[in-house]
Amino acid sequence: MRILKQRKMYEGECDMLYNKTYNLDQVACASEGNKDAQQIINVMKAANKELKRMMTTVRIEDIDSMLDEMMDLMDVSNEIQETLGISYAIPRNLSKEALLDALEADMDLESNSVPWYLQPDKETDLFSELNYPAAPSGHAAVLANQQQEDELGLSTVPHASIRI
């Protein structure tokens, strides 16, 4: 009986020591958490001071003027690209209205034939130079003197003049 009492007493002491150790570990974790929080606050204060110092050197007017200069340079670049992309087949001094009028007149005059802007290019055909036979299209052959028409009755564009 005495041994059982001693055993219970030792178990009680072990539990008490375990609880004390647990409490000490909790206090140590809380202490480390407070130290970490202090370090984070110090770093944030230093970063705040540095940002304030840097912001005194940056002026919004400088950024706005730089963006305006960049937009002007982009406009000049776009003008250069437009100038380089001029089509030499169409005169530059024609207005849109004049060009549309010319196209309309051309369609009226040549309603039975293919307009000049829809005619095939006069470039050499590599397949004909190499004497390859024409690939079958799977459609019924159209006589050379007949013009194909679409559902609106307009003449269709020859395949050789379509560029992608």
Side-chain angles (χ1 to χ4, degrees), residues 10 24 26 42 53 85 91 96 109 138 143 146 155 157:
Y10 288 138
L24 287 175
Q26 291 292 7
N42 290 336
R53 187 187 63 77
K96 289 182 182 178
L109 291 176
L143 297 177
Q146 286 184 341
S155 59
V157 178

Side-chain angles (χ1 to χ4, degrees), residues 48-59:
N48 190 22
K49 285 181 184 177
E50 183 67 21
L51 279 173
K52 284 181 182 178
R53 187 187 63 77
M54 289 175 66
M55 290 307 289
T56 59
T57 61
V58 176
R59 291 184 13 212

Side-chain angles (χ1 to χ4, degrees), residues 33 35 65-66 109 116 122 150:
K35 287 179 185 177
S65 65
M66 183 177 50
L109 291 176
W116 65 270
K122 293 186 175 44
D150 63 3

Side-chain angles (χ1 to χ4, degrees), residues 2-44:
R2 190 178 125 235
I3 294 177
L4 285 176
K5 285 183 183 181
Q6 283 181 343
R7 183 175 174 191
K8 279 198 172 218
M9 183 180 73
Y10 288 138
E11 285 178 358
E13 287 180 13
C14 282
D15 286 342
M16 204 170 21
L17 284 174
Y18 176 76
N19 288 338
K20 286 179 185 178
T21 306
Y22 177 77
N23 289 339
L24 287 175
D25 286 341
Q26 291 292 7
V27 169
C29 285
S31 175
E32 284 181 33
N34 286 337
K35 287 179 185 177
D36 291 342
Q38 285 178 339
Q39 287 179 346
I40 290 171
I41 289 171
N42 290 336
V43 168
M44 288 174 67

